[in-house]
Amino acid sequence: MANLMATRPPQPWPAPTAGRAVEATVRLPGSKSMTARALVISALADRPSTLGHPLRARDTELMAAGLRAMGQQVSTLDDERWVVRPQPLTGPAHVDVGLAGTVMRFLPALAAQSGGAVTFDGDPHARKRPLGTLIGALNALGARIESAPGGGLPLVVHGAGALPGGEVTIDASASSQFVSGLLLAAPSFTNGVVVRHQGPPVPSAPHLRMTVEMLRAAGAAVDDATPNVWSVAPGRLAGRAWEIEPDLSGALPFFAAALVTGGRVTLLGWPRGSAQPVDALRELLHRMGGEVSLGTGGLTVRGTGKIHGLTADLSEVSESTPVIAALCALADSPSRLTGVAHIRGHETDRLAALARELSALGAEVTELPDGLEITPRPLRGATFTTYDDHRMAHAAAVLGLAVPGIEVTDVACTAKTLPEFPALWSSMVGSGTAMGE
């Protein structure tokens, strides 16, 4: 009976419909992107590091577990303060990447400098996510990596201690994580690393800036003065205390609730200066009809109940595409979203999935090679498939605020980055106040 229960598909989650304007104050966990980078940098440092207010979610737990598998001491017992005590990288080991791009793209460079073979594998869809560019680059820098015939998972990284490093040219247009994965480990290469990008623009540029800023904060010498070239000198990184910012991508569905319902949502604890693309997101929300302000109480978004369509290049904030697309389906005019061809290689093909699910609700959607055209139409309730993708579940929840009868196939997939999402969301819609501690 237990086995039968374990394989039973998840029960659909009825997305709550808002009966009034949402007035909410939200405290969210730390940024996934910052937590992942801080863990990797700390593992290569010269002394212990701490992470204040990190994100505890599936992706970051898998990152911590992957580092432990390679010999690092990573304590995550305290939700508010994780501790990393760096040790020599060891093997043999096995790393479960789940569906996390950060784990599958940040840890192979460390594994290549370990003392043995390290295998990488993950969820079934993880084997479809692009990795060939990173594997080729690491092999060119002195690593020895065996991959599946398609150039992805499963991998075997044959650790051989310190690697020579040097210069490498790649096409990182499929993911900025290819560059970040090389840069984060670059100080530990004997000769450092120079990465040159040739190809269409690298997406998610703010995440690359975050990588560079965090490396510099740990003492790395990084030269990014030449466009599409990053040079990292060899040298030991410094252990330090990292204060992880609240997760901006995780906050977006809550901010969207203010636009949909004509309410107000405040994200507590937002810093004056941020490594995340807050300005780009603020501009998008403003153009769609929201008012965005940063005060002593946090980052606040106010809506009027009217949502405007827009034409926008989302390449810098590609993680926002599903929720922005949901808002566009509720807007008062058509929208054209572009610059996000690379999100076809995320947890699912997000463009195809959004086109399919929004159309099923009644929207008029045209799938573009690098985006979507969305013409609002009267929407109806229906089952909304998530494809094991947390951002798809966020989009469905936003639509459900205005469209009764939307059932989300697997809201539990939000545990990838915010396990508390269903409870926080239901509390916010039901009571008008959501507090995540």
Side-chain angles (χ1 to χ4, degrees), residues 306-375:
K306 291 185 178 180
I307 303 169
H308 307 313
L310 79 169
T311 297
D313 181 335
L314 301 183
S315 57
E316 287 209 351
V317 288
S318 58
E319 286 288 312
S320 72
T321 304
V323 169
I324 294 295
L327 288 172
C328 291
L330 299 171
D332 58 9
S333 59
S335 297
R336 181 182 175 88
L337 310 176
T338 58
V340 288
H342 63 286
I343 70 172
R344 293 186 183 279
H346 281 203
E347 284 80 349
T348 187
D349 179 339
R350 285 179 174 167
L351 295 180
L354 285 165
R356 186 179 303 117
E357 299 308 312
L358 293 176
S359 296
L361 298 181
E364 182 180 326
V365 184
T366 300
E367 189 177 338
L368 307 173
D370 71 334
L372 299 169
E373 288 183 341
I374 301 171
T375 300

Side-chain angles (χ1 to χ4, degrees), residues 21-390:
V22 166
E23 299 285 334
T25 301
V26 185
R27 185 184 296 278
L28 296 180
S31 159
K32 178 191 74 169
S33 299
M34 291 190 71
T35 301
R37 285 162 175 77
L39 285 170
V40 173
I41 291 171
S42 299
L44 297 173
D46 59 359
R47 59 183 181 273
S49 297
T50 59
L51 281 66
H53 303 96
L55 171 67
R56 182 185 293 279
R58 189 185 185 216
D59 279 16
T60 54
E61 291 275 23
L62 287 169
M63 181 69 83
L67 291 170
R68 288 191 200 101
M70 291 189 285
Q72 304 307 297
Q73 294 182 9
V74 185
S75 173
T76 59
L77 295 177
D78 185 343
D79 285 342
E80 300 301 315
R81 184 175 179 271
W82 290 4
V83 181
V84 181
R85 295 180 174 84
Q87 306 293 322
L89 293 161
T90 61
H94 175 71
V95 175
D96 177 6
V97 309
L99 201 50
T102 50
V103 180
M104 69 178 72
R105 292 168 183 153
F106 291 0
L107 293 190
L110 274 66
Q113 302 175 72
S114 71
V118 182
T119 61
F120 288 78
D121 205 357
D123 295 358
H125 188 78
R127 295 187 173 191
K128 300 179 182 179
R129 301 196 70 175
L131 273 179
T133 296
L134 178 67
I135 295 167
L138 287 172
N139 283 333
L141 293 170
R144 186 163 70 91
I145 303 176
E146 299 175 47
S147 65
L153 297 171
L155 302 179
V156 180
V157 182
H158 297 278
L163 294 179
E167 296 192 14
V168 65
T169 299
I170 64 173
D171 179 353
S173 58
S175 176
S176 65
Q177 290 176 350
F178 295 149
V179 179
S180 289
L182 295 170
L183 299 185
L184 288 168
S188 59
F189 283 62
T190 303
N191 300 311
V193 173
V194 177
V195 181
R196 301 178 186 275
H197 163 69
Q198 287 186 355
V202 180
S204 304
H207 287 97
L208 266 180
R209 291 196 290 270
M210 180 188 295
T211 296
V212 170
E213 289 174 11
M214 293 182 71
L215 280 169
R216 287 175 175 155
V222 185
D223 181 355
D224 63 346
T226 302
N228 293 319
V229 179
W230 301 265
S231 177
V232 183
R236 195 69 187 268
L237 299 172
R240 52 161 290 163
W242 297 99
E243 189 62 29
I244 308 299
E245 299 174 3
D247 191 273
L248 182 62
S249 295
L252 181 57
F254 296 91
F255 290 152
L259 268 67
V260 173
T261 67
R264 174 202 57 80
V265 173
T266 297
L267 174 61
L268 294 176
W270 192 258
R272 284 287 176 181
S274 173
Q276 300 179 78
V278 63
D279 289 338
L281 194 59
R282 176 168 19 198
E283 174 65 17
L284 283 171
L285 292 173
H286 174 73
R287 289 173 60 193
M288 299 194 82
E291 297 178 2
V292 186
S293 59
L294 177 60
T296 56
L299 190 65
T300 298
V301 176
R302 292 179 173 83
T304 63
K306 291 185 178 180
I307 303 169
H308 307 313
L310 79 169
T311 297
D313 181 335
L314 301 183
S315 57
E316 287 209 351
V317 288
S318 58
E319 286 288 312
S320 72
T321 304
V323 169
I324 294 295
L327 288 172
C328 291
L330 299 171
D332 58 9
S333 59
S335 297
R336 181 182 175 88
L337 310 176
T338 58
V340 288
H342 63 286
I343 70 172
R344 293 186 183 279
H346 281 203
E347 284 80 349
T348 187
D349 179 339
R350 285 179 174 167
L351 295 180
L354 285 165
R356 186 179 303 117
E357 299 308 312
L358 293 176
S359 296
L361 298 181
E364 182 180 326
V365 184
T366 300
E367 189 177 338
L368 307 173
D370 71 334
L372 299 169
E373 288 183 341
I374 301 171
T375 300
R377 296 282 185 259
L379 301 182
R380 56 184 176 272
T383 298
F384 194 104
T385 303
T386 64
Y387 308 89
D388 296 321
D389 187 337
H390 56 144

